[in-house]
């Protein structure tokens, strides 16, 4: 009896252990696959070629579990590098305890600037991601060039905004110095310091510098100087006229009102003086000749009538002057 009871207890314990082990096996299977470069034990993928070249390589998906695994592959990276990658198969199903090598290509655009790029091959499956770094070098002469553009003083935000543009073929880690001068001299002098970004070839990065205590009334000239390895030096500048507009608007309105009032007062005085003085002298002098001419015209008919009456009373001589 005791033997049978013991056997039943062992059987029950075995069943419980089997039930508990099944979930553990499935959980462990979640990490039962991996991704890496094909072939030798390389830590990352590397490709090098000129603009327009198509480079080839492979990645390996290894399934160490007892069940098939399906993963999806894609490329990723800044400046659209992920779109340069094309896989022989994007979705790969790997049998248990098997490794699948998947070829892919990197098509370097013809207009790509020479220099180093970085990206990755990413695989997703079983609710997780795995990635392999990809380093890409586009062949060509190394050129370090940088410009500082769109410098602007935002007085309300107390910040100086600007953009760094990498015009060369190498990745740059710039340092930036800031200086600002007003009407009466220096307002800000910030020593060169490293900005928190690395600027890739052909990329544009927007940055800003805080400036607590920006003056509210001044004429400010801002100059930024960027430097980087390879003898890079670039400058950008901006000017701003800082005016407290509410106060200026009030003062301007008062000046305009005072000017209008003064003009009205002067106009009123001039009108009153003209009214008191009467018509101007030139007008009276011009009227006198007209009056004399009128009187002369009226008297002329009277003189002509008197002459005609006198002529009728006197005899008129006729003949040639001889005796009658």
């Amino acid at each position: 009896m005791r033997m049978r009871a013991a056997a039943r207890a062992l059987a029950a314990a075995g069943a419980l252990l089997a039930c508990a082990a099944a979930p553990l096996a499935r959980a462990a299977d979640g990490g039962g696959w991996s991704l890496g470069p094909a072939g030798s034990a390389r830590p990352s993928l590397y490709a090098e070629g000129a603009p327009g070249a198509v480079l080839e390589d492979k990645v390996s998906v290894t399934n160490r579990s007892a069940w098939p695994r399906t993963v999806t592959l894609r490329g990723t990276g800044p400046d659209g590098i992920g779109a340069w990658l094309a896989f022989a198969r994007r979705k790969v199903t790997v049998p248990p305890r098997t490794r699948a090598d998947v070829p892919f290509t990197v098509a370097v655009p013809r207009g790509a600037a020479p220099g180093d790029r970085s990206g990755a091959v990413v695989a997703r499956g079983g609710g997780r991601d795995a990635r392999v770094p990809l380093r890409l070098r586009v062949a060509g002469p190394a050129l370090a060039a940088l410009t500082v553009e769109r410098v602007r003083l935002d007085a309300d935000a107390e910040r100086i905004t600007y953009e760094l543009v990498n015009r060369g073929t190498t990745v740059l880690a710039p340092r930036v110095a800031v200086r600002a001068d007003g009407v009466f001299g220096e307002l800000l002098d910030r020593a060169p310091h490293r900005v928190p970004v690395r600027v890739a070839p052909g990329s544009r990065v927007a940055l800003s510098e805080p400036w607590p205590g920006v003056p509210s009334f001044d004429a400010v000239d801002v100059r930024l100087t960027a430097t980087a390895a390879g003898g890079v030096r670039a400058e950008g500048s901006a000017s701003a006229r800082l005016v407290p507009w509410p106060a200026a608007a009030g003062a301007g309105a008062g000046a305009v009102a005072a000017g209008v009032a003064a003009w009205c007062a002067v106009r009123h005085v001039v009108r009153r003086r003209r009214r008191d003085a009467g018509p101007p002298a030139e007008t009276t002098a011009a009227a006198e000749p007209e009056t004399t001419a009128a009187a002369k015209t009226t008297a002329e008919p009277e003189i002509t009538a008197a002459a005609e009456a006198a002529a009728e009373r006197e005899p008129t001589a006729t003949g040639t002057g001889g005796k009658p």
Side-chain angles (χ1 to χ4, degrees), residues 110-208:
R110 293 188 179 277
D116 294 333
R117 310 284 201 287
S118 60
V121 174
V122 180
R124 182 170 182 79
R128 70 181 184 92
D129 289 345
R131 66 176 54 224
V132 177
L134 168 64
R135 290 184 55 218
L136 173 64
R137 170 164 290 180
V138 181
L143 173 65
L146 186 73
T147 57
V148 182
E149 302 180 6
R150 299 181 182 178
V151 180
R152 178 176 175 269
L153 172 59
D154 188 345
D156 294 335
E158 295 188 329
R159 303 191 75 83
I160 301 169
T161 60
Y162 62 100
E163 293 184 358
L164 297 180
V165 185
N166 189 336
R167 304 291 184 180
T169 62
T170 60
V171 179
L172 298 177
R175 299 171 64 87
V176 173
V178 186
R179 181 182 175 90
D181 294 298
V183 173
F184 298 105
E186 178 185 301
L187 299 173
L188 178 66
D189 189 8
R190 191 166 295 165
H193 55 282
R194 192 174 298 279
V195 297
V197 294
R198 292 171 61 85
V199 188
S203 64
R204 178 185 296 268
V205 180
L207 299 166
S208 66

Side-chain angles (χ1 to χ4, degrees), residues 253-263:
V256 171
V260 171
W263 181 79

Side-chain angles (χ1 to χ4, degrees), residues 223-248:
R223 184 173 72 253
L224 279 81
T225 304
T227 56
V232 173
R233 180 182 177 86
E235 290 188 355
S237 61
S239 298
R241 302 298 178 260
L242 306 180
V243 179
W245 289 113

Side-chain angles (χ1 to χ4, degrees), residues 38 55-61 73 85-90 92 100-106 121:
L55 313 174
E56 299 181 354
D57 208 332
K58 295 179 180 179
V59 290
S60 295
V61 182
L73 299 170
L85 277 65
F87 297 89
R89 290 176 293 168
R90 277 194 169 274
V92 182
D101 293 341
V102 183
F104 71 94
T105 60
V106 181
V121 174

